Amino acid sequence: MGAGNVGATLAQRIADAELADVVLIDIVEGMPQGKGLDMMEATPVEGSDARVLGTNDYSDTASSDVVVITAGIARKPGMSRDDLLNTNYKIVKDCTENALKYSPDAILIVVSNPLDAMCQVAYRVSGLPKHRVFGMAGVLDSARMRTFMAMELGVSVENNHAFVLGGHGDTMVPLPRYSTVSGIPITELLSPERVEAIVKRTAQGGAEIVSLLKTGSAYYAPSSSTAEMVEAVLKDKHKILPCCCFLEGEFGINDLYVGVPAQLGAKGIEKIWEIRLSDGERAALHKSAAAVRELLEVLKL
Ligand SMILES: NC(=O)c1ccc[n+]([C@@H]2O[C@H](COP(=O)([O-])OP(=O)(O)OC[C@H]3O[C@@H](n4cnc5c(N)ncnc54)[C@H](O)[C@@H]3O)[C@@H](O)[C@H]2O)c1
């Protein structure tokens, strides 16, 4: 849903990897059709037999296994993700209702911002069980942290693992203790000042791209991150990734979508991994959850 920067780049990644057939839907007439046809014409060169269809008609999306919602407006310089709240609320509600009408068995992955609040919208509107509605943010935030770790240490990004939890905003919670290079926590490899610099740059990672682009927000890393989640579902990988999940008591948080480590497979969220947090980390997660809750109060959700 949404054939803009994130949606179209995600479609391209999925089609090129021959992961699934893709339907791109948008309200702009002609644009998804044009992008879809263009992507189809790339498949002979890419060696992929995936089919891509662009449309403005939800009936073309019928019987989808996975629905990804990227529809909505993106940030411009000076805007926070929260500034998108009211506009994207209506759009995400509309997309969820229409998508579910034609694909009642689908798994719903939300990408539109403000992410945690939009997950709650999709969950409430869809009436689906919580394991079938979740959001992408932690994979992206962790990928940014992994990139900065690799740049700092001059090592392969493949040696890196990072965990960023919490809401997808300024209060996100990068966890240096659980962020490792070849299994070694970065807290043992870098000075506290360098660790703090990586944490700060990670939390500001989206704003850094927005200020450079000036006309929109990031989409290459966001689409890669979403593709990883789609793949985990379609291939039933039981893969542990930071996902925005509905919590009912886990980490001491109730009735709220927030980013936590989760195991992803064909049924969606199979399990939330309740890793042990220090008092400081737990307090930061709760502060982040409180910021998400404030947004939901505006929406009365
Ligand atoms: N969760 C994350 O980590 C993350 C990362 C990047 C972007 N985002 C968010 O994803 C969203 C999309 O970003 P983008 O860069 O692709 O924006 P974009 O403006 O390039 O694309 C959005 C598309 O949504 C379409 N749209 C609007 N209303 C619609 C509706 N009712 N039905 C179907 N389509 C509709 C627009 O026509 C547009 O083509 C934004 O809200 C952005 O903030 C989230």
Side-chain angles (χ1 to χ4, degrees):
M1 321 275 107
N5 283 337
V6 177
T9 314
L10 172 64
Q12 184 191 13
R13 293 194 191 287
I14 291 173
D16 285 356
E18 210 175 40
L19 205 53
D21 295 333
V22 186
V23 180
L24 268 171
I25 188 159
D26 203 286
I27 42 166
V28 179
E29 283 178 23
M31 182 269 275
Q33 289 85 343
K35 288 188 180 181
L37 184 59
D38 195 8
M39 281 179 217
M40 269 298 280
E41 290 166 358
T43 55
V45 185
E46 296 296 332
S48 164
D49 279 309
R51 283 165 298 159
V52 188
L53 174 76
T55 183
N56 308 113
D57 181 352
Y58 272 91
S59 67
D60 290 327
T61 67
S63 306
S64 293
D65 296 314
V66 178
V67 168
V68 182
I69 303 182
T70 74
I73 53 167
R75 284 201 280 177
K76 298 196 174 60
M79 284 173 93
S80 82
R81 295 178 180 93
D82 297 354
D83 293 332
L84 313 174
L85 185 69
N86 288 313
T87 308
N88 285 355
Y89 165 68
K90 292 189 196 83
I91 294 173
V92 169
K93 181 173 180 288
D94 182 55
C95 286
T96 304
E97 285 167 350
N98 282 314
L100 264 286
K101 208 184 301 170
Y102 292 99
S103 303
D105 299 323
I107 280 174
L108 224 61
I109 304 180
V110 180
V111 178
S112 309
N113 273 319
L115 191 269
D116 312 85
M118 292 305 114
C119 288
Q120 197 109 359
V121 171
Y123 176 60
R124 296 282 183 228
V125 169
S126 67
L128 291 179
K130 61 181 180 180
H131 65 271
R132 278 174 52 200
V133 185
F134 46 94
M136 187 292 291
V139 177
L140 169 65
D141 297 328
S142 303
R144 285 181 172 146
M145 187 164 176
R146 290 174 63 193
T147 307
F148 302 144
M149 284 159 56
M151 284 159 65
E152 179 76 25
L153 287 158
V155 297
S156 164
V157 289
E158 289 184 55
N159 286 134
N160 287 356
H161 176 268
F163 254 135
V164 181
L165 308 185
H168 184 51
D170 299 342
T171 60
M172 71 177 71
V173 188
L175 295 177
R177 265 184 341 119
Y178 285 112
S179 300
T180 58
V181 175
S182 275
I184 307 162
I186 55 167
T187 46
E188 290 182 25
L189 296 170
L190 293 167
S191 68
E193 293 75 28
R194 293 316 302 156
V195 170
E196 186 50 32
I198 289 173
V199 163
K200 235 184 175 156
R201 193 170 179 194
T202 301
Q204 292 299 316
E208 185 176 358
I209 306 279
V210 170
S211 69
L212 289 166
L213 291 180
K214 296 190 178 66
T215 52
S217 58
Y219 53 99
Y220 292 113
S223 57
S224 294
S225 305
T226 313
E228 185 177 19
M229 292 173 69
V230 171
E231 183 184 35
V233 171
L234 291 176
K235 293 188 178 170
D236 194 19
K237 284 178 83 82
H238 315 292
K239 193 169 191 176
I240 301 165
L241 294 168
C243 302
C244 184
C245 301
F246 190 68
L247 301 186
E248 290 180 298
E250 297 92 345
F251 297 96
I253 296 169
N254 243 314
D255 286 330
L256 196 70
Y257 270 90
V258 90
V260 292
Q263 189 174 307
L264 265 189
K267 291 190 172 68
I269 303 290
E270 298 174 328
K271 178 181 167 183
I272 289 172
W273 282 61
E274 215 170 336
I275 55 173
R276 198 171 298 165
L277 298 180
S278 68
D279 289 348
E281 290 161 347
R282 199 176 167 86
L285 184 61
H286 277 248
K287 187 175 168 213
S288 188
V292 175
R293 215 180 278 282
E294 267 179 41
L295 288 183
L296 295 173
E297 277 162 16
V298 177
L299 295 177
K300 301 193 184 356
L301 275 175

